[in-house]
Amino acid sequence: MERFRNILKRVDAVGWIVPALVVLVWLWLSASGQIPAYKLPSPVELIRVLADFASGGLGVTPYSGALWENLGISLLRVLSGFFIAGSLGMIMGFLTGRIPVLKRLFDPVIHLIKAVPGIGWLPIAIVWFGVGEGNTLFLMSLAAFFPVYVNTAAGAAAIPEMYIQAGQMLGAQGFGLFRAIVFPAAFPQAAVGLRLGLGVAWAYLVLGEVTGVTKGLGAIMSDARMLGHVEMVLTAMIVIAVAAKVTDFLLVAVCRRIYPRGGRGNESGI
């Protein structure tokens, strides 16, 4: 109960003002008939569809009771892509941020690849991996890699040299120096990249899932669009937004465990 109270204390009521206004305007537009229901269903209808999507039994749409299976599949894809991107991004970021020759060797190529929009990789990804899991995982991992890499490299490069010298004077060398000085000093900036990378992974999940997989929230969005179930498309979007927010909250909690001295005032949000 005490933990629940602490969570409530951290909720900023001001952040709910704009969403509340949007819902009120949405209700008014739906009730007045200014926007047809086939274009924008009312919030009440979306709640009804969401309840049926989660629990089944109402038979409102063909996707009754299909939420948890598809959410689980999408979540597993996101976590897999994010793990690959986060691991490679942080390793490469720390290496290029601290070793000048590696920065000169890899950084220009990485930024050239980063300049290609994610959607531009879709045709070649289909050629390389086919339509399905491999294509989706590739797109998510590639897109999420860049914010992790750029922020980690920037954090590692910005460490004051006096910190490094102080660590060396105290006897820290090699991995010990990295663990005691480099990682703690660069982690808040790296956490920014991890949070951005996780959000990008969710965005590119949809891009990958609409290209041929049969299960997942993106696949449901694509199928519902073709069948004319606009309310189901919006419901899936809401589920993705909530799931992305929850995973971001959990990521921040993990980052605070790793770096408890970060504080809530720094740019990483941890």
Side-chain angles (χ1 to χ4, degrees):
M1 182 62 71
E2 186 64 29
R3 176 171 292 186
F4 180 71
R5 290 197 188 99
N6 291 334
I7 293 174
L8 288 180
K9 288 179 182 178
R10 291 201 295 264
V11 174
D12 185 5
V14 176
W16 291 93
I17 294 176
V18 173
L21 290 174
V22 170
V23 171
L24 289 174
V25 172
W26 186 359
L27 283 168
W28 175 75
L29 290 173
S30 299
S32 64
Q34 296 191 43
I35 298 181
Y38 71 86
K39 287 187 177 180
L40 184 65
S42 71
V44 176
E45 177 63 19
L46 284 189
I47 292 174
R48 183 165 168 261
V49 171
L50 178 58
D52 180 58
F53 188 34
S55 62
L58 298 178
V60 178
T61 69
Y63 313 98
S64 178
L67 169 61
W68 304 111
E69 178 188 6
N70 288 276
L71 175 59
I73 291 171
S74 291
L75 181 61
L76 181 60
R77 287 177 181 143
V78 167
L79 294 180
S80 299
F82 177 66
F83 176 78
I84 295 171
S87 301
L88 292 177
M90 290 192 72
I91 291 171
M92 291 297 298
F94 277 116
L95 288 174
T96 59
R98 295 307 308 168
I99 304 176
V101 66
L102 293 182
K103 179 179 177 64
R104 293 169 60 191
L105 186 63
F106 292 107
D107 199 62
V109 176
I110 291 175
H111 281 276
L112 277 175
I113 298 173
K114 183 172 72 72
V116 179
I119 191 70
W121 287 97
L122 181 59
I124 195 67
I126 293 175
V127 172
W128 287 348
F129 301 101
V131 175
E133 295 294 335
N135 168 53
T136 304
L137 188 61
F138 171 77
L139 290 172
M140 285 190 298
S141 302
L142 181 68
F145 167 82
F146 297 115
V148 178
Y149 167 78
V150 169
N151 282 275
T152 302
I159 299 173
E161 193 60 30
M162 62 182 296
Y163 290 6
I164 305 298
Q165 294 172 356
Q168 291 172 337
M169 290 177 61
L170 293 172
Q173 297 292 334
F175 183 74
L177 183 65
F178 170 80
R179 184 180 60 186
I181 304 296
V182 175
F183 182 81
F187 186 73
Q189 184 71 21
V192 175
L194 289 172
R195 295 186 69 185
L196 290 172
L198 181 59
V200 170
W202 276 106
Y204 277 81
L205 166 79
V206 177
L207 177 63
E209 286 187 338
V210 299
T211 58
V213 297
T214 58
K215 296 287 186 179
L217 296 172
I220 285 182
M221 290 175 64
S222 179
D223 189 61
R225 177 190 62 83
M226 291 187 290
L227 295 177
H229 290 285
V230 179
E231 72 283 356
M232 195 63 235
V233 175
L234 293 172
T235 299
M237 290 171 60
I238 292 172
V239 171
I240 289 173
V242 172
K245 182 61 179 177
V246 171
T247 53
D248 178 72
F249 176 83
L250 295 175
L251 176 61
V252 170
V254 171
C255 289
R256 285 177 179 164
R257 288 282 185 178
I258 295 173
Y259 187 63
R261 294 170 295 169
R264 291 164 62 184
N266 63 63
E267 61 186 351
S268 67
I270 65 173

